[in-house]
Amino acid sequence: MGEDVKAIIGSLLINGTQKEALRDGVVIIEGDRIRKVGQRDEVTIPHGIKIFDGTGMTIMPGLIDAHVHLTGWRRGDTTGRYDTALGIARAISDAYNMLEHGVTAARCCGSPYTPSIKRAIEESTIEGPRFMASGAFISQTFGHGDIHHLPLEWVRDIRVIADGVTECRRAVREQLRNGADFIKVMAGGGTSSQLDELEYPQFSPEELKAIVYEAHCVGKMTAAHAHGLTPIRHALACGVDSIEHGTAIDEEAALMAAESGRFIVRNCYTPIKAYEETKGFTEIGDYTEWAFRRHKINYEHNKTTVRLCREMGCKQAIGPDVTGCEPYDVIPKNMKAFMELGGYSAMEAISCCTKTGSEVMGLGDRIGTLERNKIADIMVVDGNPLEDVMVLAPKENIRLVMKGGKPVILRGIKIT
Ligand SMILES: [Zn+2]
């Protein structure tokens, strides 16, 4: 082995593939790559190398957030919508916050800042997860990306509104010009836009097909926001690669997604939270009547469709759809919801957030699992997430985060 070799040892090793966890696991890292993974008695640790000692802890792949918006927005505070510098400053801090919680890779599904933040991370100006960035998302007028209660000029500043095939093509090409890694499009109604119901399909088939065509021409994937069954069917028929949310999917659409290898990226926690935090109260707090009503619809659908998708063989990834500033318990809370609603085991839920996440990013051959020759994106957590996934929630439990073989978060782990 060459130089820059290090090892991580731990009492348990989860490799992300759903294979049985190893007792007394060891990972040998050389440069940015994983060279060996195994049990203590079968892996020889080269003499004199640095060892990160996670005895009593669990080694596992870094988490992958498959749907975030690095916008710097804060709930109940609209400042970030028009103060660009503030938005960017917060987004940089939020990217670091994600890393601190063990998120080593993320797919940003809509923020004009992320292509540049991604570049700053790659050139080591700042620290953050490995990002795939869509740039601004694309919406039709009167679509989910067109926030109807705001003046149109504000809306146009932060996302792309396109109508007609020509504008749709231009919108995609502009995002590609800005460095987008994939294209995010709003194919149906949502909870945060006032006038479009969840079941409304958005963009005509000609428009949506043109968007997909322009992306696929240059080897980029497309992600479509779709909650209602009609938008889900519409997006699948037009050839998008991932359905974001997929809340009201039925058996036929789930089968179509599964058979064609398309992804469903889920957020199962926020709607539950929104519902549970507000039910029983006549007052609906932060939520307007229309948003609350739609969260309830999503909540009811999630009770059956997470399981349906699992049973139909869909690849489901975890994408909490937040802005990155949260304590980031949204990831383990989603894992828990996958287990409760979808019947996933803890091992499978972890795999949804690691291996499947890497696949939806198009990086399945490089990250997402702890296997020989993969990039060393690894975390060490104090506790056993197979017994309780919520040990992943407090950042104090995340004792080591390694990104590309480099320790980026060290929280009291012994180094010998
Ligand atoms: Zn989103």
Side-chain angles (χ1 to χ4, degrees):
M1 280 203 191
E3 284 175 26
D4 192 21
V5 180
K6 42 182 115 56
I8 305 174
I9 60 173
S11 293
L12 197 67
L13 186 144
I14 297 167
N15 80 351
T17 66
Q18 299 182 25
K19 255 203 228 145
E20 210 183 313
L22 299 178
R23 293 270 151 215
D24 298 322
V26 182
V27 185
I28 307 283
I29 299 130
E30 183 185 10
D32 69 343
R33 299 284 159 165
I34 294 169
R35 291 300 179 217
K36 276 185 198 160
V37 183
Q39 248 162 323
R40 210 42 202 280
D41 51 10
E42 56 186 33
V43 176
T44 315
I45 300 177
H47 207 68
I49 66 166
K50 194 182 268 187
I51 300 170
F52 296 85
D53 185 354
T55 301
M57 304 178 201
T58 304
I59 309 171
M60 59 183 283
L63 302 173
I64 296 179
D65 182 340
H67 187 133
V68 69
H69 293 273
L70 213 59
T71 53
W73 292 358
R74 299 287 183 265
R75 218 169 133 200
D77 167 12
T78 51
T79 325
R81 291 191 176 217
Y82 49 84
D83 185 337
T84 307
L86 181 68
I88 294 169
R90 286 172 173 177
I92 290 169
S93 155
D94 294 347
Y96 188 72
N97 181 52
M98 294 170 74
L99 199 60
E100 282 201 292
H101 285 84
V103 177
T104 50
R107 196 171 64 131
C108 178
C109 286
S111 164
Y113 314 141
T114 312
S116 302
I117 290 176
K118 178 192 168 188
R119 186 174 164 185
I121 291 169
E122 284 173 354
E123 67 187 22
S124 300
T125 302
I126 56 171
E127 289 282 12
R130 222 175 271 290
F131 273 105
M132 296 286 284
S134 72
F137 47 70
I138 303 170
S139 169
Q140 64 166 52
T141 300
F142 179 55
H144 173 53
D146 176 1
I147 302 300
H148 314 123
H149 60 278
L150 295 178
L152 195 56
E153 304 78 66
W154 289 22
V155 173
R156 283 195 204 282
D157 274 359
I158 49 181
R159 59 206 71 203
V160 180
I161 303 291
D163 297 288
V165 169
T166 306
E167 281 186 21
C168 287
R169 288 192 197 285
R170 178 187 294 277
V172 174
R173 291 171 186 172
E174 277 174 0
Q175 296 318 303
L176 295 170
R177 186 181 188 277
N178 293 341
D181 300 304
F182 68 102
I183 296 299
K184 165 75 182 300
V185 56
M186 299 306 190
T191 51
S192 58
S193 45
Q194 186 178 7
L195 301 173
D196 55 334
E197 295 297 331
L198 300 169
E199 271 302 324
Y200 294 177
Q202 298 179 353
F203 289 114
S204 67
E206 293 71 27
E207 290 169 319
L208 193 50
K209 279 181 187 162
I211 288 169
V212 172
Y213 175 85
E214 291 295 326
H216 284 181
C217 266
V218 293
K220 306 292 187 192
M221 292 166 92
T222 48
H225 163 103
H227 279 292
L229 180 58
T230 311
I232 292 168
R233 285 183 176 150
H234 168 55
L236 286 171
C238 291
V240 304
D241 302 288
S242 68
I243 299 291
E244 307 301 310
H245 315 307
T247 322
I249 197 165
D250 70 351
E251 196 172 317
E252 195 188 328
L255 189 64
M256 185 178 176
E259 285 182 342
S260 55
R262 261 101 49 94
F263 297 91
I264 314 290
V265 180
R266 289 278 189 171
N267 172 29
C268 295
Y269 176 65
T270 298
I272 292 173
K273 181 169 178 278
Y275 183 64
E276 289 186 342
E277 282 184 358
T278 47
K279 77 177 170 191
F281 298 98
T282 45
E283 209 216 317
I284 51 177
D286 249 12
Y287 292 92
T288 54
E289 179 279 324
W290 45 267
F292 180 67
R293 175 170 49 79
R294 291 175 198 165
H295 275 300
K296 272 212 294 199
I297 294 171
N298 287 341
Y299 173 82
E300 292 302 326
H301 281 304
N302 275 339
K303 281 183 184 170
T304 56
T305 62
V306 185
R307 185 178 292 271
L308 172 74
C309 284
R310 176 176 156 268
E311 286 171 358
M312 300 309 286
C314 292
K315 293 188 277 189
Q316 298 198 91
I318 289 177
D321 202 6
V322 293
T323 66
C325 66
E326 290 74 8
Y328 245 74
D329 54 0
V330 285
I331 296 252
K333 278 178 174 166
N334 257 284
M335 287 180 184
K336 214 173 156 198
F338 265 49
M339 293 164 70
E340 286 167 4
L341 302 174
Y344 286 90
S345 67
M347 186 66 104
E348 289 166 341
I350 289 169
S351 187
C352 291
C353 194
T354 53
K355 185 174 189 288
T356 313
S358 73
E359 290 167 0
V360 77
M361 288 178 78
L363 297 174
D365 57 340
R366 277 175 274 174
I367 59 171
T369 61
L370 304 185
E371 292 175 292
R372 188 179 148 75
N373 292 336
K374 284 226 170 158
I375 294 173
D377 286 0
I378 307 170
M379 65 190 261
V380 174
V381 55
D382 193 1
N384 181 354
L386 296 179
E387 282 169 6
D388 179 10
V389 290
M390 291 313 290
V391 299
L392 295 163
K395 69 178 175 189
E396 293 68 31
N397 283 356
I398 313 297
R399 305 292 290 275
L400 168 70
V401 180
M402 200 175 265
K403 195 183 132 202
K406 190 180 142 206
V408 284
I409 303 293
L410 283 163
R411 213 174 263 121
I413 193 167
K414 213 165 80 190
I415 305 171
T416 56

